[in-house]
Amino acid sequence: KAGVTQTPRYLIKTRGQQVTLSCSPISGHRSVSWYQQTPGQGLQFLFEYFSETQRNKGNFPGRFSGRQFSNSRSEMNVSTLELGDSALYLCASSLDMGVTEAFFGQGTRLTVV
Amino acid sequence: QQQVKQSPQSLIVQKGGIPIINCAYENTAFDYFPWYQQFPGKGPALLIAIRPDVSEKKEGRFTISFNKSAKQFSLHIMDSQPGDSATYFCAASGASGSARQLTFGSGTQLTVLP
């Protein structure tokens, strides 16, 4: 059974640009959550999607957004990139909303220059 | 109230030693406590998890001890090996609302010397 797949693995963007990251959850999993990992702030929750609806949102500015498609695949978008957005963005897949076991992908390393 | 505090920040043990990593939480809505292992360049991998109705859980060389009254839990790695060298994160989540997402500790960098 394939794991969580995130694309691309690495990305370099310039300040002010926008970026879209993609996540394909484990087959059969319907809940997708996104986390940002930085050396200074650690792992922080961005948002959770289930049945194409955002169910929960962390404390991030509106520049961070996401969506989920009918096949449970998810994308997150960051607009007007800032240097501080440089981070490892991780997607976690769970079988269902309220099911607590979460499995992470390898992440997308975003560097903003 | 959402914080999970993890210690120590780093830990060095000899092969065969038993590293212990501790975490404490405040939010009584948390009812699921997983540990994740992360190697450089990889995403966190679920290692073992516990719920508050048990005080200890073992899976292979990994053991979680849970103290509900003290709101603390810890990870013990028996017979540690150099391949266990990684960063370990504790986390907590609850059943509903803002507690449902995983709240992570700050991580412990473990080095097991050969």
Side-chain angles (χ1 to χ4, degrees), chain A residues 17-38:
Chain A
Q17 286 187 312
Q18 74 164 17
V19 66
T20 300
L21 313 181
S22 179
C23 172
S24 293
I26 293 170
S27 178
H29 283 200
R30 300 195 296 159
S31 174
V32 173
S33 297
W34 289 88
Y35 291 80
Q36 181 196 63
Q37 185 175 26
T38 59

Side-chain angles (χ1 to χ4, degrees), chain A residues 35 37 48 56 100 102 106, chain B residues 36 38 42 51 100-101:
Chain A
Y35 291 80
Q37 185 175 26
E48 175 192 18
N56 208 354
T100 45
Q106 296 209 75
Chain B
Y36 283 85
Q38 187 176 29
K42 304 288 187 181
R51 293 195 181 272
R100 197 172 63 240
Q101 74 265 20

Side-chain angles (χ1 to χ4, degrees), chain B residues 59-79:
Chain B
E59 283 187 7
R61 295 184 294 108
F62 300 94
T63 298
I64 300 179
S65 297
F66 187 85
N67 185 329
K68 187 175 180 179
S69 61
K71 291 188 282 188
Q72 295 175 348
F73 58 110
S74 60
L75 177 70
H76 298 62
I77 305 175
M78 306 301 178
D79 187 28

Side-chain angles (χ1 to χ4, degrees), chain A residues 9-10 35 37 42-45 48 55-58 88 90 92 97-98 100-107 109, chain B residues 31-32 34 36 38 41-46 49 51 89 93-95 97-106:
Chain A
R9 287 292 313 281
Y10 303 94
Y35 291 80
Q37 185 175 26
L43 280 147
Q44 292 187 290
F45 171 75
E48 175 192 18
R55 304 291 177 163
N56 208 354
K57 189 177 192 304
L88 181 67
L90 292 158
M97 195 173 70
T100 45
E101 271 195 334
F103 301 90
F104 283 84
Q106 296 209 75
R109 171 73 62 187
Chain B
D31 65 358
Y32 174 73
Y36 283 85
Q38 187 176 29
K42 304 288 187 181
L46 180 60
R51 293 195 181 272
F89 293 94
S93 68
S98 62
R100 197 172 63 240
Q101 74 265 20
L102 287 167
T103 299
F104 283 89
S106 54

